[in-house]
Amino acid sequence: ETGVTQTPRHLVMGMTNKKSLKCEQHLGHNAMYWYKQSAKKPLELMFVYSLEERVENNSVPSRFSPECPNSSHLFLHLHTLQPEDSALYLCASSYIPGQRSYNEQFFGPGTRLTVL
Amino acid sequence: QKEVEQDPGPLSVPEGAIVSLNCTYSNSAFQYFMWYRQYSRKGPELLMYTYSSGNKEDGRFTAQVDKSSKYISLFIRDSQPSDSATYLCAMSAYNTDKLIFGTGTRLQVFP
């Protein structure tokens, strides 16, 4: 595997279900991100982990819970979601600022989530 | 006012046309300007990166930044059907991990 991988690629869940999204990066990066992509909206940054510490949480509802057990893996745990949470969830990774002059983020293919 | 404004399109052009994609922004602290390309059912991939003002060329692609007008552009020469994708502009201030994205412009190049 190369780059950034995400599983599952598609997920349909009911509002009462609990599920998890998984992201793995094979690039030796030390920062990882979760984004939400909805139609006709900019990518919304949800969470940032730098050196496995959460450094940003952009007012995301508590029904989304991230976990970063090491610098290569990132999870997004989902529970009691709403239909408006249906979107493409993208994971990205990069070097932390200061190690490179700019923040080039490498994205995974995303998980298409549908909440019924 | 949004930090970054981008016309969502769609933009439909014939093969061989010159395409111009644009974004405006409001935050004068932005120093790094990027264009990502996103094919259907894929994640965004970095296409071009520019630091501060000026032009940068890479093959058929040219990125321009005008910081005085807070305006960035991506030009695609001799457009090909394989260029059909959504193009997202992104920008950041110095030494930050936060990228601010535009909504993306969907481009279709027809043969």
Side-chain angles (χ1 to χ4, degrees):
Chain A
E1 292 277 16
T2 59
V4 181
T5 57
Q6 289 186 244
T7 54
R9 294 294 308 276
H10 300 272
L11 179 61
V12 179
M13 58 188 289
M15 292 168 62
T16 58
N17 291 157
K18 287 185 180 181
K19 296 286 184 184
S20 295
L21 310 184
K22 180 183 174 184
C23 174
E24 186 172 357
Q25 61 95 2
H26 310 267
L27 299 168
H29 291 156
N30 45 23
M32 296 187 78
Y33 312 79
W34 280 116
Y35 286 90
K36 177 183 179 183
Q37 187 175 35
S38 306
K40 295 189 169 59
K41 287 187 175 181
L43 264 70
E44 298 174 49
L45 179 64
M46 301 174 72
F47 300 104
V48 180
Y49 277 83
S50 179
L51 298 173
E52 301 155 44
E53 296 285 327
R54 190 194 307 181
V55 297
E56 183 136 359
N57 172 354
N58 275 358
S59 304
V60 178
S62 59
R63 57 186 184 269
F64 295 91
S65 174
E67 179 189 0
C68 186
N70 55 60
S71 61
S72 298
H73 294 87
L74 186 65
F75 295 88
L76 188 63
H77 304 298
L78 316 171
H79 65 97
T80 59
L81 294 191
Q82 306 297 310
E84 61 265 27
D85 297 323
S86 298
L88 182 68
Y89 288 85
L90 290 161
C91 172
S93 70
S94 74
Y95 293 106
I96 60 174
Q99 292 187 337
R100 295 288 187 275
S101 60
Y102 68 99
N103 185 289
E104 180 179 357
Q105 295 183 13
F106 292 77
F107 286 83
T111 295
R112 174 68 62 185
L113 174 66
T114 302
V115 181
L116 302 176
Chain B
Q1 183 188 9
K2 292 180 187 174
E3 274 195 288
V4 178
E5 299 271 4
Q6 184 176 10
D7 186 339
L11 184 60
S12 185
V13 301
E15 183 174 355
I18 296 174
V19 175
S20 172
L21 304 167
N22 311 293
C23 289
T24 58
Y25 63 95
S26 57
N27 189 343
S28 57
F30 289 149
Q31 297 281 350
Y32 301 101
F33 303 91
M34 285 152 267
W35 286 95
Y36 280 81
R37 178 174 60 194
Q38 185 174 18
Y39 289 115
S40 180
R41 287 188 276 281
K42 296 279 181 72
E45 58 175 342
L46 183 67
L47 187 62
M48 300 278 291
Y49 140 74
T50 311
Y51 171 68
S52 195
S53 282
N55 293 0
K56 188 171 187 178
E57 190 172 319
D58 183 1
R60 296 183 295 109
F61 298 89
T62 300
Q64 284 186 353
V65 175
D66 181 350
K67 289 191 72 180
S68 62
S69 303
K70 296 191 177 68
Y71 188 88
I72 70 170
S73 301
L74 177 70
F75 297 96
I76 307 174
R77 289 185 302 281
D78 187 26
S79 55
Q80 303 294 309
S82 58
D83 295 327
S84 299
T86 296
Y87 291 80
L88 304 108
C89 63
M91 43 201 83
S92 72
Y94 179 74
N95 208 28
T96 174
D97 52 19
K98 192 166 184 176
L99 288 182
I100 308 299
F101 284 86
T103 53
T105 299
R106 190 155 65 87
L107 171 67
Q108 184 174 9
V109 181
F110 55 90

